[in-house]
Amino acid sequence: MTPISSLHRPRRLRRKSAMRALLRETGLRSTDFLLPIFLVDGQGIRSEISSMPGVFRHSIDSALQLCAEAEAREIPGVLLFGVMDSQSKDAQGSASWQSDGLVQRASLAIKEQFPDLLVLADACFCEYTDHGHCGVLNTHQDRDDPATLENLQRLALSYAEAGVDVIAPSGMVDGMVQAIREILDAARHENVAILSYAIKYASAFYGPFRDAADSAPSFGDRRAYQMDPANRREAFRELQLDLAEGADMIMVKPALAYLDLIRDVRERCDFPVFAYQVSGEYSMLRAASQAGFLDWKGALLESLLAIKRAGADGIITYAALEACDWLS
Ligand code: PBG
């Protein structure tokens, strides 16, 4: 490092706005963001999620309007989640892999109207199973990973057939990336990419999402498959495994409480790294702003900038549209 003498005064470089702009090391642009969309069955539905003010569940027609807004702001893609009513759920989550399923229909509709917008789809079962766990359970009420992987292959294939560009497995099932890559390649969908939620912690910050997607486990929790928030080295093993299995891109989740992991992963691999500003992070900032304790715009942009500065190539955020409106 260059030695710094007491003659240096950092403030010289901060006093003027033009100087600050010239010397700014990190920036946000609309192409950094991906917008998650919660889908519901029906027509003309746009219902606000009580624990996530400003975020809505959309029927496909309404989701298409949101896609138009995303495209107008040059957001490169949307990440789809299906929200099921309780009659559509079963022990396996079979509604997830139907060719006329909610996410599949939405993807086809988006591809038809917005062929240049990337469609990413979350691949997990917790929104589709009647017990709310991320896969099939065995008789001991523990997740049966081989059976879950088979279902994940069904799900991946149905997504690829519906034109999904990027499959994002989020269930932390060992071997999930390889299982998906194998079925995609065998079915000649070699151009479909995998964004693995490789480093996903068992986090309290998913609370509002589970309300939004009605996906909270009916018993127990997800600590038997998601990572322990106390662990760092374990993340590197997850990273290596998913890259070895063929992941094209890696996700760290949540973002703000795990900036150290974003930085670590950035330094340890040359693959694109994404960070998910999860529901709890969004709601925390939103609620505090609504109460008048924080400035929403300032706090949001600062948190997104921090995620970028930590080393993320892209950020999944519920506030993508608003953030874009405030850039530049
Ligand atoms: C599905 C999934 C979850 C999230 C993304 N995919 C919930 C969970 O693991 O319980 C959380 C996203 C958020 O909190 O915004 N497994």
Side-chain angles (χ1 to χ4, degrees):
M1 265 219 267
T2 326
I4 288 191
S5 82
S6 54
L7 290 173
H8 283 97
R9 290 185 71 234
R11 209 170 97 79
R12 276 199 285 269
L13 304 185
R14 289 184 199 135
R15 284 183 54 246
K16 293 189 172 177
S17 164
M19 187 67 94
R20 292 194 296 274
L22 176 70
L23 302 179
R24 191 157 293 132
E25 297 172 28
T26 316
L28 294 167
R29 21 173 218 180
S30 59
T31 50
D32 292 331
F33 302 129
L34 292 168
L35 176 69
I37 301 183
F38 294 110
L39 296 162
V40 286
D41 241 322
Q43 185 71 25
I45 298 172
R46 183 175 179 273
S47 63
E48 192 165 25
I49 296 157
S50 57
S51 56
M52 301 176 74
V55 180
F56 298 78
R57 296 191 191 88
H58 298 267
S59 52
I60 292 175
D61 54 323
S62 171
L64 289 170
Q65 290 175 27
L66 205 58
C67 290
E69 289 186 46
E71 197 168 68
R73 289 166 176 80
E74 292 179 347
I75 290 173
V78 293
L79 173 61
L80 303 181
F81 292 93
V83 183
M84 297 290 110
D85 51 33
S86 48
Q87 304 97 281
S88 309
K89 300 188 183 194
D90 60 24
Q92 303 243 347
S94 62
S96 62
W97 64 74
Q98 306 305 317
S99 56
D100 61 350
L102 185 54
V103 170
Q104 289 80 358
R105 278 182 285 128
S107 173
L108 288 169
I110 294 169
K111 282 283 133 191
E112 198 178 307
Q113 274 200 35
F114 308 99
D116 296 329
L117 190 67
L118 293 174
V119 173
L120 292 85
D122 185 86
C124 192
F125 300 103
C126 57
E127 302 103 299
Y128 300 89
T129 50
D130 49 18
H131 45 70
H133 282 280
C134 302
V136 186
L137 299 179
N138 61 22
T139 45
H140 309 290
Q141 303 289 60
D142 189 22
R143 193 174 65 193
D144 178 342
D145 283 2
T148 302
L149 288 178
E150 275 183 40
N151 287 346
L152 210 46
Q153 291 187 318
R154 295 190 174 97
L155 179 58
L157 201 55
S158 75
Y159 279 171
E161 284 166 1
V164 167
D165 297 288
V166 181
I167 297 179
S170 67
M172 294 294 280
V173 192
D174 293 335
M176 66 185 183
V177 174
Q178 185 173 348
I180 292 173
R181 191 70 268 160
E182 277 174 8
I183 196 80
L184 291 176
D185 289 353
R188 302 302 315 266
H189 290 297
E190 56 272 337
N191 291 330
V192 176
I194 300 175
L195 165 58
S196 178
Y197 288 70
I199 297 158
K200 176 171 176 178
Y201 285 90
S203 172
F205 290 102
Y206 308 148
F209 174 96
R210 292 181 186 167
D211 168 38
D214 187 23
S215 66
S218 57
F219 63 89
D221 54 43
R222 303 207 203 293
R223 280 182 290 189
Y225 38 94
Q226 298 180 345
M227 283 179 55
D228 184 336
N231 292 356
R232 175 168 172 260
R233 291 190 309 268
E234 187 186 358
F236 308 144
R237 302 199 291 275
E238 286 284 357
L239 172 68
Q240 278 180 293
L241 279 168
D242 281 22
L243 289 177
E245 289 179 29
D248 300 288
M249 300 178 274
I250 294 294
M251 179 129 58
V252 176
K253 179 184 172 197
L256 204 56
Y258 297 85
L259 293 177
D260 55 334
L261 272 304
I262 298 174
R263 166 58 50 193
D264 284 334
V265 172
R266 168 75 295 144
E267 284 175 359
R268 273 167 195 253
C269 85
D270 296 323
F271 286 77
V273 177
F274 281 79
Y276 199 140
Q277 182 181 53
V278 300
S279 55
E281 298 177 57
Y282 169 89
S283 297
M284 196 161 64
L285 296 178
R286 187 62 113 174
S289 317
Q290 286 183 338
F293 301 151
L294 280 180
D295 169 48
W296 167 236
K297 175 182 171 183
L300 174 70
L301 292 181
E302 186 177 327
S303 68
L304 293 170
L305 193 64
I307 296 165
K308 192 81 189 292
R309 194 192 59 232
D313 295 289
I315 305 172
I316 297 165
T317 172
Y318 299 98
L321 294 175
E322 274 173 284
C324 289
D325 290 340
W326 287 324
L327 299 180
S328 78

